[in-house]
């Protein structure tokens, strides 16, 4: 059987990238509406929700690492609904195979030939639930999709329709029957976010809302659609980054490699993550330029999971977030208001 080497998985052009972009002030308005909608379901976690949305606007993938029952799955589903995206949830288990993620060729008796059956990765937003419960071979099946936005099965490459985002969840306290994510796969996530336990008032609000809606399931009306999301993402390219802020980003990333508690610091992919997320934060605020506070707000979620500590640091209860916080304190932030060199015109 002859097979094409590259093809859209659904043989149509509906997934063609959108080239138009919205002005940053419109991105800020729509982002606020999306967050307000998700906030009606996920109570009291506005800062964390803003980070998740920033990761999506930056075109990246998000790792939600927290204790069980803290709305990780609910967050992913709520964002998919509010953003008008096709959503699929894949429960990762020890017996999950790579073909269960990507899809496989099956024999069609009526046609007398093999046909490709797409896996759950062919969607706009994939929830990889408890990603650390499946073996590395299956975890790696996501790598190509996350990085290249395509899937290769038996020599055939299938492009994923944009937008495509992975929101993965992981439980940081259970180690029996889990497979820690390798550094290569951790590095593919643009940022790592934790929610933490709600306050007493927030938890009471959760109970009140559950009683008010009189059912377990929650459904959000779309605030935007997939095309509008792509236009919002395109707006980030018009957000200016002044030279001193760009060098500040580089200095922060470089400082993680020189810290005494660090065995392996952040790669240049960490600098790119800071740049993309800072632009997203600026656009969410309705600005077409980045300020140092945008970088500071995303530094820990963007860099902490890219750092490997020296073994003895675990005995001292030092964690990567503490290292990034020390780096933020040590590296002076710029105060320049000059235009970036790439934006100057003679």
């Amino acid at each position: 059987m002859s097979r094409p080497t590259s093809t859209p998985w659904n043989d149509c052009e509906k997934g063609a990238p959108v080239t138009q972009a919205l002005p940053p002030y419109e991105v800020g308005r729509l982002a606020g509406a999306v967050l307000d909608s998700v906030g009606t379901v996920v109570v009291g976690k506005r800062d964390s929700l803003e980070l998740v949305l920033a990761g999506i606007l930056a075109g990246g993938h998000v790792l939600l690492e927290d204790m069980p029952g803290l709305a990780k799955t609910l967050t992913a589903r709520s964002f998919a609904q509010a953003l008008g995206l096709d959503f699929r949830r894949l429960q990762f288990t020890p017996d999950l195979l790579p073909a269960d993620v990507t899809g496989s060729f099956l024999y069609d008796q009526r046609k007398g030939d093999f046909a490709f059956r797409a896996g759950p990765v062919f969607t706009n937003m994939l929830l990889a639930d408890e990603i650390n419960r499946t073996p590395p071979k299956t975890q790696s099946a996501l790598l190509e999709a996350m990085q290249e936005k395509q899937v290769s099965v038996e020599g055939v490459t299938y492009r994923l329709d944009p937008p495509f985002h992975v929101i993965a969840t992981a439980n940081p306290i259970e180690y029996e029957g889990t497979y820690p994510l390798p550094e290569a796969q951790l590095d593919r996530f643009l940022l790592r976010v934790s929610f933490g336990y709600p306050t007493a008032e927030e938890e009471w609000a959760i109970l009140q809302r559950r009683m008010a809606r009189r059912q377990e399931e929650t459904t959000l009306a779309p605030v935007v659609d997939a095309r509008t999301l792509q236009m919002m993402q395109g707006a980030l390219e018009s957000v200016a980054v002044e030279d001193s802020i760009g060098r500040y980003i580089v200095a922060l990333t470089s400082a993680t490699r020189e810290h005494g508690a660090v065995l392996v610091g952040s790669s240049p992919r960490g600098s790119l993550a800071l740049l993309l997320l800072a632009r997203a934060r600026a656009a969410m605020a309705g600005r077409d330029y980045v300020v140092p506070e945008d970088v500071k707000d995303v530094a820990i979620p963007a860099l902490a999971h890219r750092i490997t500590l020296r073994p003895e640091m675990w005995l001292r209860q030092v964690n990567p977030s503490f290292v990034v916080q020390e780096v933020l304190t040590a590296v002076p932030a710029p105060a320049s208001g000059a235009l970036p060199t790439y934006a100057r015109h003679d």
Side-chain angles (χ1 to χ4, degrees):
M1 179 182 69
S2 63
R3 298 172 180 167
T5 56
S6 180
T7 179
W9 76 273
N10 53 4
D11 295 321
C12 71
E13 296 301 325
K14 72 175 184 178
V18 174
T19 56
Q20 301 96 324
L22 296 174
Y25 68 83
E26 183 66 11
V27 175
R29 185 187 68 82
L30 292 174
V34 170
L35 289 168
D36 289 342
S37 178
V38 175
T40 63
V41 177
V42 183
V43 180
K45 300 299 176 184
R46 183 79 175 200
D47 291 345
S48 297
L49 294 178
E50 287 180 355
L51 288 171
V52 174
L53 182 56
I56 295 172
L57 290 179
H61 312 288
V62 182
L63 176 62
L64 302 180
E65 189 175 86
D66 220 325
M67 308 299 179
L70 295 184
K72 299 186 294 296
T73 302
L74 179 62
T75 295
R77 186 172 65 248
S78 298
F79 269 114
Q81 292 174 350
L83 294 170
L85 302 179
D86 182 45
F87 174 75
R88 297 188 185 183
R89 176 179 180 269
L90 181 59
Q91 184 67 46
F92 279 69
T93 57
D95 59 349
L96 196 72
L97 300 175
D100 297 326
V101 178
T102 61
S104 59
F105 282 94
L106 298 178
Y107 186 73
D108 189 334
Q109 292 184 342
R110 290 177 298 178
K111 297 181 179 180
D113 201 353
F114 286 89
F116 179 68
R117 185 178 68 177
V121 74
F122 289 91
T123 186
N124 294 134
M125 183 172 288
L126 174 67
L127 172 60
D129 213 356
E130 296 187 294
I131 191 173
N132 58 335
R133 289 199 175 278
T134 200
K137 184 176 182 180
T138 304
Q139 291 175 0
S140 65
L142 275 179
L143 284 178
E144 182 183 15
M146 293 171 64
Q147 186 66 25
E148 306 296 336
K149 307 297 173 63
Q150 65 184 28
V151 167
S152 297
V153 180
E154 297 187 20
V156 186
T157 300
Y158 297 91
R159 297 191 299 273
L160 299 175
D161 289 340
F164 171 70
H165 301 279
V166 173
I167 294 184
T169 70
N171 185 338
I173 61 170
E174 294 184 15
Y175 297 103
E176 186 175 352
T178 63
Y179 303 84
L181 291 176
E183 285 75 9
Q185 188 160 342
L186 276 175
D187 209 28
R188 295 302 196 280
F189 288 99
L190 194 64
L191 74 169
R192 181 175 60 183
V193 180
S194 297
F195 289 99
Y197 286 108
T199 64
E201 288 301 316
E202 292 169 350
E203 196 161 356
W204 170 229
I206 294 172
L207 301 184
Q208 287 180 307
R209 295 183 187 186
R210 171 60 182 86
M211 291 185 288
R213 66 175 178 263
R214 304 176 70 88
Q215 62 180 12
E216 185 64 28
E217 295 78 13
T218 59
T219 303
L220 299 179
V223 177
V224 299
D225 56 19
R227 182 178 179 83
T228 304
L229 173 61
Q230 289 182 266
M231 295 171 68
M232 294 169 69
Q233 292 171 335
L236 269 60
E237 295 300 328
S238 64
V239 176
V241 181
E242 197 271 321
D243 287 9
S244 65
I245 294 180
R247 292 185 179 278
Y248 178 55
I249 289 173
V250 173
L252 289 174
T253 308
S254 299
T256 66
R257 306 166 195 158
E258 301 166 359
H259 195 282
V262 173
L263 182 64
V264 179
S266 173
S267 69
R269 191 176 280 141
S271 296
L272 289 171
L274 281 179
L275 173 67
L276 293 171
L277 289 168
R279 276 180 153 181
R281 294 286 290 190
M284 289 169 64
R287 286 184 275 104
D288 61 356
Y289 57 92
V290 172
V291 297
E293 285 69 24
D294 295 325
V295 179
K296 294 177 182 179
D297 288 345
V298 300
I300 292 177
L303 296 180
H305 64 292
R306 306 175 194 275
I307 294 174
T308 302
L309 297 179
R310 296 184 181 277
E312 61 269 22
M313 291 300 109
W314 297 105
L315 298 176
R316 302 179 187 177
Q317 297 183 334
V318 175
N319 60 58
S321 297
F322 176 77
V323 171
V324 178
Q325 188 60 59
E326 284 197 337
V327 165
L328 284 170
T329 303
V331 177
S336 172
L339 285 174
T341 53
Y342 68 82
R344 294 173 186 163
H345 299 281
D346 295 332

